[in-house]
Amino acid sequence: MKHRSTSEQHHGKKPRVPAAAAATSTSPQDGMEDKAATNPRELTQNPLKKIWMPYKNGLPEKHICQRKVCMTNCPTLIVTVGLPARGKTYISKKLTRYLNWIGVPTREFNVGQYRREFVKIYKSFEFFRPDNEEGLKIRRKCASAALNDVREYLTEDGGQVAVFDATNTTRERRETILEFAEQNGFKVFFVESVCEDPDVIQENIVQVKLDSPDYTNCNTEEAVEDFMKRIKCYENSYETLDEVLDRDLSYIKIMDVGQRYLVNRVLDHIQSRIVYYLMNIHITPRSIYLCRHGESELNVKGRIGGDSGLTIRGKEFAKKLSHFIQEQNISDLKVWTSQMKRTIQTAEALNVPYEQWKVLNEIDAGVCEELMYEEIQKNYPLEFALRDQDKYRYRYPKGESYEDLVQRLEPVIMELERQENVLVICHQAVLRCLLAYFLDKTAEELPYLKCPLHTVLKLTPVAYGCKVESISLNVDAVNTHRERPANVDVSRMSEEALLTVPSHQ
Amino acid sequence: MELPQLEHTRLRRHDSAASVPQFCNSPTMIVMVGLPARGKTYISKKLTRYLNWIGVPTKMFNVGQYRREAVKIYKNFEFFKPDNEEAMKIRKACAAAALKDVALYFTKEQGQVAVFDATNTTRERRAIILSFAMEMGYKVFFVESICDDPEIIAENIRQVKFGSPDYADRDIDEAMEDFTQRIDCYRASYMPIDDEKDRKLSYIKIFDVGSRYLVNRVQDHIQSRIVYYLMNIHVTPRSIYLSRHGESELNLLGRIGGDTGLSPRGQKYASALATFIKGQKIIDLKVWTSHMKRTVQTAEALGVQYEQWKALNEIDAGVCEELTYEEIQENFPEEFALRDQDKYRYRYPKGESYEDLVHRLEPVIMELERQENVLVICHQAVMRCLLAYFLDKPADELPYLRCPLHTVLKLTPIAYGCKVESFFLNIEAVNTHRERPLNVNITRNPEEALQTVPDHI
């Protein structure tokens, strides 16, 4: 998500570039290794995340690092390549969303947007004609401005990955970018989208170009015609990534919307993850249904976690869910549950095969399992306050954090990307994490997303994003959503802490 | 009264195998393609090992082995000459026999994936395999290895061919000469998978040991995982060091799990480990620990950077956390027995199973494959899982692998497998290894259950 915690900064690690000389492991206390061996540093456990860290003179040392996806100091510049309407922006946005969700601060830079800011009104495709000198000048300027912002994001704003979204169809333009990256110590990974299927291109144009600010004042036919001419402007000078000429570059070439991929010189972990992700996404229309289990016995008692069964109302929801699903007339629906009784009971009512995933289990509340918020406040007031201070990163003692949950759910997201129609019956915290991925919510927002019982969320990918329909199945249930209270200080009083606890038995 | 054996698997009715959701019932044939000495068998064995570890029953079928059974003694490369009619007959028969065994594996042994390891360099041979698969309802995924770097090929031949039964009685130069001519026999008729003609097939082409890949029509989840795995492995020489944390306070007390610090002997081990590591003179070593105090403390003594992985945390013993085996027997005798009956699949109440552990460790294995020299400081159950991956140990052996405290295991890939060197750093520690007792019946008495519990305070 969009953050960079200073306590987990990475010090002095050499990036794994192919030409880098093998180096001995860096020691934070150069020349003091023997001393370290005989006098190991004391460890203290960070109260929020429960991470063991060394400390000196009573203060935690900012030395150790928790495993993060990006373990290098070397930021990465992802550069899209391809003619217009080949899905570059679709891929850029999706990739950015995914990387942020798994905890890699990423931002996309769409050169078209810079152009729109500069040239307030788009007249016609003529702007893109290769002999339009003035147009070219402006476009070069926009690319530079975007690269400048990239530099700022990656060097000063804590960004780890920047996605440079433009056609970048000439070798010359790509050379410029490569030089820029080398000057700044960024790794470059190209993502080229190649497609000649006229149906796919037409569909792209209809889905995303017609709504573009460029075409607000045109009718459909005019817009399509102009856009086709725009594409033509690029075609003659298009130099695709070449197997021989570009053999030293790192890239993936996506052909025909994912039928075929050419992958060249993957340098590091993050590039490997990006390739895996890109190879798993598709654009076949489908819907993802997310819901929680029916109301459970512990829900009505206001207790968190545990592994109880459904209440009568919960069972009624399961029945209604079954009717709802049937009415939706979904072709080839896959149904997934966790391995907890309440989701399985809910799925049972559907009378269809379902798949149990342990990783869909609710967040482990550790020592707070099966407690009411009132009991947590009574027995662990400090923990309760810390949780309110940073609900995303807070880890229950002997339990998990939302941050841990996201990591554990990554394979689910990957498989959801591969699949088509899926119904996921899960839990409140889990549903928040999944929803945050699809709706691009930040780490701060994620733990407070509203995911009430007995409500189905239907997500349908549309254009660059996701349409959400919230369907309540009209079966009453207890409210389990606790808002962040006004006072999150450890010195607060019980009443202040319990202000936002929803009512229960 | 005997309770049903599978009570502990109550929630497993629709359970996915370790980490691979079972979406399709169609078994998959992975078909290798490539000239000799291109790493096909290396890839086949590694892939088979990986898939089995993550819970996908996989078996390798090496046609060369069938040929060795049929033609007891290998004379020379002439056997492989394209005009050698008799040999051709034998080779076709061997391929057919192997395919037959593939079918048996899928139908009689509940296999999920079969790796068909042969050159399969002609379109004709691949067509036979494809029609076989279509007839039987199997999916096919081709893995072609293309390499023209003479150094790599020579190194391959050195590493694995000299050890082959075919060359047991030859000296190195003879063997090299013969094998080179063998390769030539295939070269003339080699038709690589064609990007145009074969565009409907599912395949990955690996160029130059992984510097480039072409991936076409990945059909399903398992093929996607296979592609991801193949794109992350490498052949650069390196070593992986596995060690547990130093002896902990709870270790001394015979208690499982928890999050305690090191005992004085454990601290000594940490220092000894630092000395040992320095002595190994390892280039660019990465050090990984879990999030638990005892591994972090151990790493601290090394005086180098390390990364903490939550995925490396010890198996969660749920309600049995911090108990002694004696206490588990006293409070949860049935659970204790069930665990002994199937230690791999048994899940502690509110805890984990070894099977869950493997699933959780998969990203660690993937990253270990990507990395070069790594030291992993972890825990007993975790180390058993990692070791089982590298040494290809099956699920029933995994939970009983010996991983004593204060011992470093150095794993170095060679040929088709992994060399293991064990270094005990001479600091005494308690034994934490509990063998499977003779009586695993729930009706057993406490003495029988506790027979194999190691000593502790």
Side-chain angles (χ1 to χ4, degrees):
Chain A
M1 319 298 295
K2 299 172 173 68
H3 73 279
R4 191 178 176 91
S5 169
T6 46
S7 65
E8 287 142 25
Q9 236 163 46
H10 202 82
H11 292 270
K13 204 65 166 162
K14 279 210 171 102
R16 281 190 77 235
V17 265
T24 47
S25 37
T26 49
S27 167
Q29 305 138 317
D30 287 312
M32 286 179 62
E33 281 176 21
D34 288 332
K35 216 172 186 178
T38 47
N39 290 319
R41 298 180 293 185
E42 288 295 310
L43 292 181
T44 183
Q45 194 176 41
N46 162 286
L48 181 78
K49 299 181 71 164
K50 315 298 188 292
I51 308 265
W52 288 101
M53 327 197 311
Y55 72 94
K56 215 177 187 177
N57 304 324
L59 287 170
E61 289 231 274
K62 292 172 186 214
H63 150 65
I64 63 90
C65 42
Q66 188 192 353
R67 173 76 195 171
K68 290 217 166 285
V69 179
C70 251
M71 296 311 294
T72 69
N73 272 342
C74 211
T76 303
L77 179 57
I78 299 176
V79 181
T80 63
V81 179
L83 292 173
R86 262 56 176 181
K88 299 182 302 297
T89 302
Y90 175 82
I91 289 169
S92 299
K93 286 185 183 267
K94 215 169 151 75
L95 191 54
T96 301
R97 177 162 56 90
Y98 168 71
L99 291 172
N100 277 313
W101 187 76
I102 62 171
V104 181
T106 305
R107 193 183 291 174
E108 44 146 346
F109 297 82
N110 177 283
V111 177
Q113 231 150 282
Y114 284 74
R115 188 259 306 156
R116 262 173 236 117
E117 305 238 332
F118 208 83
V119 183
K120 299 295 172 192
I121 300 175
Y122 173 76
K123 287 200 202 116
S124 76
F125 76 94
E126 308 257 350
F127 179 83
F128 293 97
R129 284 177 59 160
D131 54 3
N132 183 340
E133 291 270 352
E134 205 187 299
L136 281 170
K137 243 197 271 181
I138 295 173
R139 288 157 72 193
R140 256 184 233 125
K141 234 185 171 147
C142 290
S144 295
L147 284 179
N148 227 350
D149 287 350
V150 163
R151 183 201 345 255
E152 202 180 302
Y153 177 64
L154 295 180
T155 51
E156 290 158 41
D157 293 346
Q160 195 63 45
V161 176
V163 183
F164 190 70
D165 177 21
T167 49
N168 298 316
T169 40
T170 62
R171 187 154 279 119
E172 182 201 351
R173 168 60 57 87
R174 297 195 291 268
E175 259 311 310
T176 310
I177 299 171
L178 283 164
E179 274 164 28
F180 161 83
E182 189 171 329
Q183 277 164 19
N184 289 286
F186 304 150
K187 286 186 188 174
V188 178
F189 188 74
F190 292 96
V191 177
E192 180 171 17
S193 174
V194 177
C195 178
E196 291 314 317
D197 185 337
D199 291 332
V200 174
I201 296 166
Q202 177 82 5
E203 182 60 26
N204 276 3
I205 297 176
V206 167
Q207 275 238 0
V208 296
K209 300 300 178 186
L210 299 183
D211 289 326
S212 156
D214 292 344
Y215 295 111
T216 36
N217 298 320
C218 305
N219 69 35
T220 302
E221 269 135 31
E222 282 171 17
V224 172
E225 201 189 313
D226 184 271
F227 202 83
M228 288 300 203
K229 293 206 186 120
R230 202 153 118 178
I231 298 177
K232 275 255 167 309
C233 294
Y234 286 87
E235 263 169 17
N236 286 334
S237 59
Y238 182 18
E239 292 167 291
T240 184
L241 286 171
D242 187 85
E243 261 177 49
V244 179
L245 293 172
D246 298 312
R247 65 180 169 282
D248 289 329
L249 301 182
S250 297
Y251 65 84
I252 178 172
K253 203 187 266 212
I254 305 170
M255 296 172 266
D256 297 316
V257 206
Q259 294 275 46
R260 182 187 298 206
Y261 305 90
L262 187 69
V263 180
N264 200 62
R265 292 196 184 273
V266 170
L267 290 181
D268 60 14
H269 178 92
I270 191 68
Q271 289 180 15
S272 160
R273 294 284 286 275
I274 289 166
V275 165
Y276 185 42
Y277 181 72
L278 292 177
M279 286 176 46
N280 281 318
I281 60 181
H282 68 76
I283 54 167
T284 312
R286 49 79 171 254
S287 289
I288 295 169
Y289 297 80
L290 303 177
C291 76
R292 290 167 67 187
H293 51 81
E295 182 190 67
S296 75
E297 301 285 0
L298 286 182
N299 282 148
V300 294
K301 297 198 179 104
R303 293 184 175 282
I304 66 173
D307 194 13
S308 56
L310 300 179
T311 60
I312 295 186
R313 298 197 296 194
K315 288 183 186 147
E316 210 195 310
F317 166 71
K319 255 196 246 149
K320 290 232 171 127
L321 182 64
S322 177
H323 293 149
F324 170 75
I325 291 297
Q326 273 163 32
E327 277 161 26
Q328 287 279 302
N329 232 335
I330 309 153
S331 65
D332 208 22
L333 177 74
K334 301 277 191 326
V335 179
W336 298 351
T337 71
S338 69
Q339 285 186 355
M340 297 180 140
K341 189 173 182 185
R342 49 200 190 276
T343 57
I344 296 168
Q345 267 185 302
T346 310
E348 278 289 313
L350 303 177
N351 249 314
V352 298
Y354 56 89
E355 190 85 34
Q356 293 184 20
W357 292 65
K358 186 174 192 277
V359 292
L360 282 172
N361 280 5
E362 182 58 313
I363 192 171
D364 184 356
V367 301
C368 297
E369 276 285 318
E370 303 196 42
L371 298 186
M372 298 188 283
Y373 289 120
E374 293 83 347
E375 289 167 344
I376 301 178
Q377 167 58 24
K378 180 156 175 227
N379 297 304
Y380 308 97
L382 171 63
E383 295 292 329
F384 204 38
L386 285 173
R387 184 158 209 256
D388 284 336
Q389 286 174 17
D390 191 344
K391 197 175 175 191
Y392 183 73
R393 282 166 208 83
Y394 171 81
R395 189 184 282 169
Y396 281 106
K398 302 195 178 176
E400 293 177 303
S401 62
Y402 271 93
E403 195 172 26
D404 295 328
L405 248 197
V406 161
Q407 210 186 84
R408 128 149 109 82
L409 286 169
E410 204 260 347
V412 176
I413 287 297
M414 197 63 87
E415 193 54 25
L416 276 172
E417 286 295 346
R418 289 196 54 79
Q419 289 294 329
E420 290 178 24
N421 294 316
V422 186
L423 163 65
V424 184
I425 304 172
C426 55
H427 306 266
Q428 184 167 248
V430 170
L431 186 40
R432 285 171 171 154
C433 293
L434 298 178
L435 200 57
Y437 166 75
F438 288 108
L439 303 186
D440 202 16
K441 299 293 183 186
T442 62
E444 283 62 49
E445 295 173 277
L446 186 161
Y448 295 102
L449 292 174
K450 283 211 194 290
C451 298
L453 286 165
H454 299 184
T455 307
V456 181
L457 292 172
K458 178 178 178 181
L459 304 166
T460 313
V462 99
Y464 292 139
C466 219
K467 177 173 87 170
V468 199
E469 293 166 73
S470 174
I471 304 132
S472 162
L473 296 195
N474 278 323
V475 179
D476 281 336
V478 66
N479 173 28
T480 57
H481 186 94
R482 180 177 166 268
E483 282 293 357
R484 189 181 198 261
N487 192 347
V488 299
D489 215 81
V490 306
S491 59
R492 66 191 177 176
M493 305 195 299
S494 291
E495 296 80 43
E496 295 177 288
L498 299 172
L499 205 59
T500 54
V501 171
S503 24
H504 56 86
Q505 279 172 7
Chain B
M1 186 190 77
E2 193 122 334
L3 285 165
Q5 178 97 358
L6 298 174
E7 226 271 319
H8 75 278
T9 56
R10 54 188 162 265
L11 292 180
R12 287 199 65 233
R13 190 157 41 94
H14 295 286
D15 200 2
S16 337
S19 52
V20 180
Q22 248 127 46
F23 291 113
C24 56
N25 285 332
S26 300
T28 304
M29 274 187 74
I30 299 177
V31 181
M32 303 303 300
V33 181
L35 292 173
R38 262 59 176 180
K40 298 185 299 300
T41 303
Y42 175 82
I43 291 170
S44 300
K45 285 187 185 261
K46 216 169 150 76
L47 192 51
T48 302
R49 176 163 59 88
Y50 169 70
L51 290 172
N52 278 313
W53 187 75
I54 62 169
V56 180
T58 305
K59 192 168 172 188
M60 194 183 127
F61 297 83
N62 177 281
V63 177
Q65 230 148 282
Y66 284 74
R67 187 260 304 159
R68 266 175 229 113
E69 302 269 311
V71 182
K72 300 292 173 199
I73 298 173
Y74 173 74
K75 287 202 200 101
N76 60 33
F77 76 94
E78 307 251 347
F79 182 86
F80 292 97
K81 281 178 75 168
D83 54 4
N84 184 338
E85 292 241 2
E86 203 188 299
M88 275 298 182
K89 250 197 260 177
I90 296 174
R91 289 160 71 193
K92 271 206 194 98
C94 288
L99 284 179
K100 212 163 143 217
D101 285 349
V102 165
L104 273 173
Y105 177 62
F106 285 151
T107 48
K108 298 276 192 286
E109 292 177 51
Q110 279 90 49
Q112 195 63 41
V113 177
V115 183
F116 193 71
D117 178 23
T119 49
N120 299 317
T121 39
T122 61
R123 297 185 67 74
E124 183 202 355
R125 171 58 57 85
R126 298 197 291 267
I128 294 174
I129 298 170
L130 280 164
S131 58
F132 164 81
M134 188 150 111
E135 198 192 310
M136 308 291 290
Y138 307 152
K139 290 188 183 176
V140 178
F141 188 75
F142 291 96
V143 178
E144 182 169 23
S145 173
I146 295 168
C147 179
D148 291 312
D149 184 334
E151 274 179 40
I152 297 179
I153 295 161
E155 182 59 27
N156 276 2
I157 299 176
R158 263 191 291 273
Q159 275 237 2
V160 296
K161 300 301 176 186
F162 295 155
S164 154
D166 290 346
Y167 296 108
D169 304 320
R170 313 291 156 87
D171 73 25
I172 294 186
D173 293 319
E174 265 183 58
M176 180 65 98
E177 171 67 33
D178 184 272
F179 202 84
T180 309
Q181 296 199 277
R182 201 153 121 179
I183 298 179
D184 286 336
C185 291
Y186 285 88
R187 216 188 280 277
S189 60
Y190 179 23
M191 283 174 279
I193 295 178
D194 188 283
D195 293 333
E196 249 323 285
K197 293 194 211 139
D198 296 318
R199 66 182 172 280
K200 290 260 175 344
L201 301 182
S202 297
Y203 61 86
I204 178 172
K205 276 194 199 182
I206 306 172
F207 297 90
D208 299 318
V209 205
S211 87
R212 194 162 88 243
Y213 305 90
L214 184 72
V215 180
N216 198 64
R217 288 191 185 263
V218 170
Q219 291 169 29
D220 60 15
H221 178 94
I222 193 66
Q223 289 180 17
S224 159
R225 293 285 285 278
I226 288 165
V227 164
Y228 185 42
Y229 182 72
L230 292 177
M231 286 175 45
N232 280 317
I233 60 180
H234 67 79
V235 294
T236 312
R238 50 83 170 251
S239 289
I240 295 168
Y241 297 80
L242 301 179
S243 160
R244 288 168 69 185
H245 52 83
E247 182 190 69
S248 74
E249 302 286 358
L250 283 184
N251 284 146
L252 278 175
L253 298 171
R255 295 183 174 282
I256 65 173
D259 193 15
T260 48
L262 301 179
S263 68
R265 298 196 296 196
Q267 292 282 10
K268 279 216 194 88
Y269 172 70
S271 311
L273 182 62
T275 310
F276 170 78
I277 290 296
K278 257 176 238 135
Q280 288 281 302
K281 298 205 192 309
I282 308 153
I283 301 168
D284 207 18
L285 177 73
K286 299 276 194 320
V287 179
W288 298 351
T289 71
S290 70
H291 274 187
M292 296 179 140
K293 190 174 184 182
R294 49 202 189 277
T295 56
V296 177
Q297 266 186 301
T298 309
E300 273 292 310
L302 303 178
V304 299
Q305 286 239 320
Y306 54 90
E307 290 171 33
Q308 296 186 16
W309 291 65
K310 186 168 194 278
L312 285 171
N313 278 5
E314 182 57 315
I315 192 171
D316 184 354
V319 300
C320 296
E321 276 286 318
E322 303 196 42
L323 300 187
T324 60
Y325 288 120
E326 291 84 350
E327 287 165 352
I328 300 176
Q329 169 59 28
E330 198 189 321
N331 296 301
F332 309 101
E334 192 189 315
E335 294 292 329
F336 203 37
L338 286 172
R339 184 159 208 253
D340 284 335
Q341 288 172 18
D342 190 347
K343 196 174 175 190
Y344 183 73
R345 279 165 210 84
Y346 170 82
R347 188 184 281 168
Y348 281 107
K350 304 196 178 176
E352 293 177 300
S353 62
Y354 271 92
E355 192 172 28
D356 295 328
L357 248 196
V358 161
H359 184 184
R360 147 151 94 77
L361 286 168
E362 205 260 345
V364 176
I365 287 296
M366 197 63 87
E367 191 56 21
L368 275 172
E369 285 295 346
R370 290 196 53 79
Q371 290 292 337
E372 291 178 21
N373 294 316
V374 186
L375 163 65
V376 183
I377 303 172
C378 54
H379 306 265
Q380 183 168 250
V382 169
M383 190 159 157
R384 285 170 170 154
C385 292
L386 298 178
L387 200 56
Y389 167 74
F390 288 108
L391 303 186
D392 203 15
K393 298 294 183 186
D396 50 339
E397 287 180 54
L398 185 161
Y400 296 101
L401 293 174
R402 275 189 192 282
C403 296
L405 286 165
H406 298 187
T407 306
V408 183
L409 291 178
K410 177 178 178 179
L411 305 166
T412 312
I414 41 146
Y416 293 139
C418 218
K419 177 172 88 171
V420 197
E421 294 164 80
S422 173
F423 300 92
F424 172 61
L425 299 194
N426 270 321
I427 314 274
E428 290 304 313
V430 299
N431 171 29
T432 57
H433 186 93
R434 180 176 166 268
E435 281 294 358
R436 189 181 198 261
L438 282 161
N439 191 347
V440 299
N441 212 281
I442 20 188
T443 57
R444 67 190 177 175
N445 52 43
E447 296 78 48
E448 295 176 291
L450 299 172
Q451 203 171 27
T452 52
V453 171
D455 305 317
H456 56 86
I457 299 175

